[in-house]
């Protein structure tokens, strides 16, 4: 058996098949997109055209703050798309990878997107639109780990990454303070819809097929796409969806949240940098620990998001959308890296678990915990139970709901770097994008130094699976449906396809609520 190809080898193969010539020198002559709004110039290199910082909506500044996104301003001549610096207002986090070293970002002119596309003139490529995570209050499409080069080359695809409003600016319901702002709690979601509308209108000019759009979301991005699946006719937005470490369970069941700052005059006039700084200080008091990760986000408002995503899927309202979804094995261990040391950090995360546990199941908690403690320490058992409740089990329930109508595919990412905290939340991202950049993944960079070939091989397998799904709707493993419950396990030891992995732990849980009970999570 021949050894697995590395990412560089896959790139060379893809370039050869696409008829592209890789060159170390920029070739911008062919990187001109003739969109309905006008010409946009990108930068060419190594067989790709890259367009950065294209506005898909008007800057939400001044009177537009807290209002739905508006059309982008027109331009004359050729728009130069080479601005990769935009970060929506937020306080810097060590778990993100920013384009510069600012501690606080305050520029509201951030509703922009980036496009990667092969140089060759071939059109009708599958389109992959990525919605980043970050607790709906941090992160940016301009992180280097989200670069679309490998997905575009290996998958012969058009890749788009988008910014959207975060924190209080994108996800706080202000209708109680001003009726004109009713619905502002889902403006981050409306930004994402505006970006998807831009893609549908313009992506053909970049070689993409507007009828074959796959939206990929991770963490808060996956919560958002889950909410979009619960809107009216979600197939108008995309043909396929990938949910990485996020499901409808973490879509707020009621409009909100209320702003952590209750002064409307301050909210509407305060400089954005000051606003997000004050937001973070307030969250430290009202949503401590891991609860701050779920304070902001999309909500069921009855107008845009019509019901909980699981219910909408079960009723067949997204029957025109193919679905691939999954989780990492040790999701919540991610938060252990922010403690004084790993052991203390993990213990603090475990202590948060009771606040998230469903009230309706409290009399079953000891019984469920006993299943997890069969081969784990008490802390590890609590962490595994926590990860399953908020991530793995809800993903399974969404897969069950959608599998009634469409082929649906489930995975679990199990690779754990030696000396790290496990297969933590976000650990799959460096592999899906082929960037192998491990910010926020303890032990990841050291593992890459120790065995780059194995990590490149795993990344190559995942890149091929994600782009195959975007192209055809089939990632090349059997679809999920009871009773077999076929699941793809991703690890450097080789991807396995298992039926109903960790069945005893899945069966330990009675029915979960459709959504996290936010009152039990510090709200």
């Amino acid at each position: 058996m021949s050894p697995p190809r590395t990412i560089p080898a896959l790139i060379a193969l893809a370039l050869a098949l696409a008829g592209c010539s890789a060159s170390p020198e920029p070739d911008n002559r062919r990187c001109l997109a003739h969109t309905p709004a006008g010409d946009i110039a990108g930068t060419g290199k190594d067989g790709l055209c890259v367009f950065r910082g294209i506005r898909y909506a008007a800057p939400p500044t001044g009177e537009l703050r807290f209002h739905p996104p508006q059309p982008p301003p027109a331009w004359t001549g050729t728009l130069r798309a080479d601005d990769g610096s935009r970060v929506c207002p937020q306080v810097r986090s060590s778990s993100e990878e920013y384009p510069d070293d600012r501690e606080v970002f305050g520029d509201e002119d951030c509703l922009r997107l980036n496009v990667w596309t092969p140089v060759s003139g071939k059109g009708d490529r599958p389109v992959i639109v990525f919605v980043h995570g970050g607790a709906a209050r941090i992160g940016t499409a301009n992180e280097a780990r989200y670069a679309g080069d490998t997905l575009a080359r290996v998958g012969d695809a058009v890749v788009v990454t988008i910014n959207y409003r975060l924190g209080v600016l994108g996800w706080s319901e202000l209708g109680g303070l001003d009726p004109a702002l009713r619905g502002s709690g889902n403006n981050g979601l409306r930004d994402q819809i505006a970006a998807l509308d831009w893609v549908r209108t313009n992506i053909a000019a970049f070689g993409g097929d507007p009828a074959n759009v796959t939206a990929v979301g991770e963490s808060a991005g996956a919560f958002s796409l889950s909410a979009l699946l619960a809107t009216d006719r979600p197939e108008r937005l995309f043909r396929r969806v990938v949910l990485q470490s996020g499901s409808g369970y973490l879509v707020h069941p009621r409009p909100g949240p209320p702003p952590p700052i209750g002064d409307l005059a301050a909210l509407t006039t305060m400089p954005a940098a000051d606003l997000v700084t004050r937001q973070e200080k307030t969250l430290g008091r009202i949503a401590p620990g891991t609860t701050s990760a779920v304070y902001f986000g999309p909500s069921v408002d009855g107008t845009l998001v019509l019901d909980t995503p699981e219910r909408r899927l079960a009723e067949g309202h997204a029957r025109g959308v193919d679905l691939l979804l999954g989780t990492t094995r040790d999701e919540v261990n991610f938060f252990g890296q922010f403690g004084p040391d790993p052991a203390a950090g993990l213990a603090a995360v475990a202590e948060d678990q009771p606040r998230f546990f469903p009230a309706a199941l409290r009399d079953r908690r000891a019984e469920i915990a006993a299943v997890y403690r069969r081969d784990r320490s008490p802390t590890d058992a609590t962490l595994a139970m926590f990860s399953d409740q908020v991530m793995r089990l809800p993903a399974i329930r969404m897969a069950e709901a959608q599998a009634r109508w469409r082929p649906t595919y489930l995975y679990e990412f199990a690779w754990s770097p030696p000396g790290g905290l496990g297969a933590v939340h976000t650990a799959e991202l460096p592999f899906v994008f082929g960037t192998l950049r491990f910010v926020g993944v303890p032990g990841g960079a050291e593992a890459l130094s120790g065995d780059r070939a194995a990590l490149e091989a795993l990344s190559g397998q995942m890149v091929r699976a994600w782009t195959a799904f975007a192209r055809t709707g089939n990632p090349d493993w059997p679809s999920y449906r009871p009773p077999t419950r076929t699941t793809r396990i991703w690890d450097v030891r080789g991807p396995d396809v298992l039926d109903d992995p960790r069945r005893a732990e899945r069966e330990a849980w009675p029915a979960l609520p459709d959504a996290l009970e936010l009152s039990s999570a510090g709200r």
Side-chain angles (χ1 to χ4, degrees):
M1 181 179 294
S2 60
R5 292 188 176 99
T6 62
I7 288 292
L10 288 168
I11 291 170
L13 175 62
L15 289 171
L17 291 174
C20 301
S21 59
S23 168
E25 297 300 324
D27 179 7
N28 299 328
R29 292 169 296 176
R30 300 172 67 186
C31 293
L32 188 65
H34 305 289
T35 76
D39 289 349
I40 304 178
T43 301
K45 188 174 182 181
D46 296 338
L48 290 181
C49 291
V50 183
F51 302 80
R52 297 183 184 274
I54 303 172
R55 282 193 182 98
Y56 67 82
T61 56
E63 293 183 356
L64 294 183
R65 183 187 278 186
F66 298 117
H67 285 273
Q70 299 300 308
W75 69 88
T76 57
T78 299
L79 178 68
R80 185 72 193 164
D82 59 359
D83 182 358
S85 67
R86 301 294 170 155
V87 175
C88 284
Q90 62 191 270
V91 175
R92 189 182 195 91
S93 169
S94 61
S95 64
E96 307 299 316
E97 190 176 21
Y98 296 97
D100 59 53
D101 59 0
R102 282 176 287 175
E103 290 299 318
V104 180
F105 298 87
D107 186 359
E108 292 177 86
D109 181 10
C110 65
L111 299 187
R112 302 184 182 224
L113 52 78
N114 309 311
V115 180
W116 288 260
T117 186
V119 167
S120 74
K122 175 184 173 184
D124 294 331
R125 291 184 168 92
V127 181
I128 298 171
V129 180
F130 180 68
V131 185
H132 71 80
R137 61 181 229 275
I138 54 177
T140 172
N142 289 310
E143 299 191 35
R145 60 176 167 168
Y146 302 148
D149 304 63
T150 300
L151 286 170
R153 287 194 183 102
V154 175
D156 193 28
V158 179
V159 179
V160 182
T161 62
I162 68 170
N163 280 340
Y164 55 95
R165 278 175 283 183
L166 302 168
V168 66
L169 290 164
W171 302 102
S172 279
E173 178 53 53
L174 305 184
L177 299 176
D178 181 351
L181 299 178
R182 186 169 291 114
S184 61
N186 272 332
N187 276 342
L189 207 61
R190 292 184 174 88
D191 293 345
Q192 295 166 24
I193 292 172
L196 288 163
D197 286 342
W198 185 96
V199 167
R200 185 175 62 249
T201 301
N202 295 283
I203 208 63
F206 299 84
D209 180 358
N212 190 13
V213 173
T214 297
V216 180
E218 189 272 339
S219 191
F223 312 160
S224 296
L225 294 183
S226 297
L228 291 182
L229 285 168
T231 61
D232 185 40
R233 297 181 299 108
E235 65 276 3
R236 79 195 189 282
L237 299 172
F238 33 61
R239 185 172 180 179
R240 301 184 176 97
V241 166
V242 179
L243 304 178
Q244 298 174 206
S245 297
S247 70
Y249 185 69
L250 292 170
V251 174
H252 298 179
R254 294 170 295 279
I261 304 162
D263 182 340
L264 183 62
L267 286 165
T268 54
T269 62
M270 186 183 297
D274 295 342
L275 187 58
V276 294
T277 299
R278 187 169 167 184
Q279 163 196 294
E280 292 303 298
K281 290 179 179 177
T282 304
L283 279 182
R285 176 174 50 82
I286 65 175
T290 54
T291 57
S292 64
V294 297
Y295 188 87
F296 292 111
S299 60
V300 178
D301 57 11
T303 303
L304 179 62
V305 184
L306 301 177
D307 202 344
T308 64
E310 186 179 324
R311 259 199 299 268
R312 292 287 292 180
L313 263 59
E315 294 169 357
H317 294 293
R319 68 182 70 188
V321 180
D322 298 327
L323 183 61
L324 185 158
L325 71 168
T327 57
T328 67
R329 181 163 292 176
D330 306 299
E331 292 276 4
V332 302
N333 293 21
F334 170 87
F335 298 98
Q337 65 187 291
F338 306 113
D341 61 72
L346 292 174
V349 176
E351 289 173 3
D352 271 350
Q353 192 261 355
R355 282 190 273 183
F356 287 77
F357 197 81
L361 300 181
R362 282 180 185 155
D363 61 344
R364 303 284 298 274
R365 186 177 172 198
E367 178 184 340
I368 297 169
V371 176
Y372 285 84
R373 288 178 180 168
R374 289 173 185 170
D375 57 358
R376 297 181 179 95
S377 70
T379 295
D380 287 346
T382 300
L383 293 169
M385 189 174 163
F386 196 175
S387 291
D388 277 9
Q389 182 216 325
V390 298
M391 291 290 188
R392 178 176 172 248
L393 267 294
I396 288 173
R397 301 292 163 84
M398 282 192 76
E400 291 171 347
Q402 186 66 352
R404 301 174 190 176
W405 308 99
R406 296 290 296 172
T408 299
Y409 301 88
L410 191 72
Y411 74 87
E412 181 174 274
F413 186 83
W415 174 74
S416 177
L421 299 180
V424 301
H425 190 63
T426 78
E428 87 289 356
L429 284 168
F431 296 89
V432 168
F433 279 91
T435 56
L436 295 181
R437 301 178 70 92
F438 289 96
V439 61
V441 182
E446 293 79 4
L448 181 63
S449 298
D451 196 353
R452 175 178 286 271
L455 271 57
E456 286 183 343
L458 176 59
S459 179
Q461 292 158 355
M462 297 188 74
V463 167
R464 290 195 299 273
W466 261 240
T467 54
F469 180 74
R471 184 173 300 280
T472 68
N474 186 341
D476 197 27
W477 72 82
S479 62
Y480 183 93
R481 67 173 56 248
T484 54
R485 301 179 179 274
T486 304
T487 305
R488 181 72 132 180
I489 309 297
W490 295 105
D491 203 340
V492 293
R493 294 169 295 186
D496 294 322
V497 177
L498 302 180
D499 288 342
D500 204 0
R502 294 195 283 137
R503 176 181 175 180
E505 292 166 5
R506 177 185 62 78
E507 291 182 336
W509 292 87
L512 284 172
D514 283 349
L516 177 68
E517 298 169 3
L518 295 169
S519 61
S520 68
R523 288 275 308 285

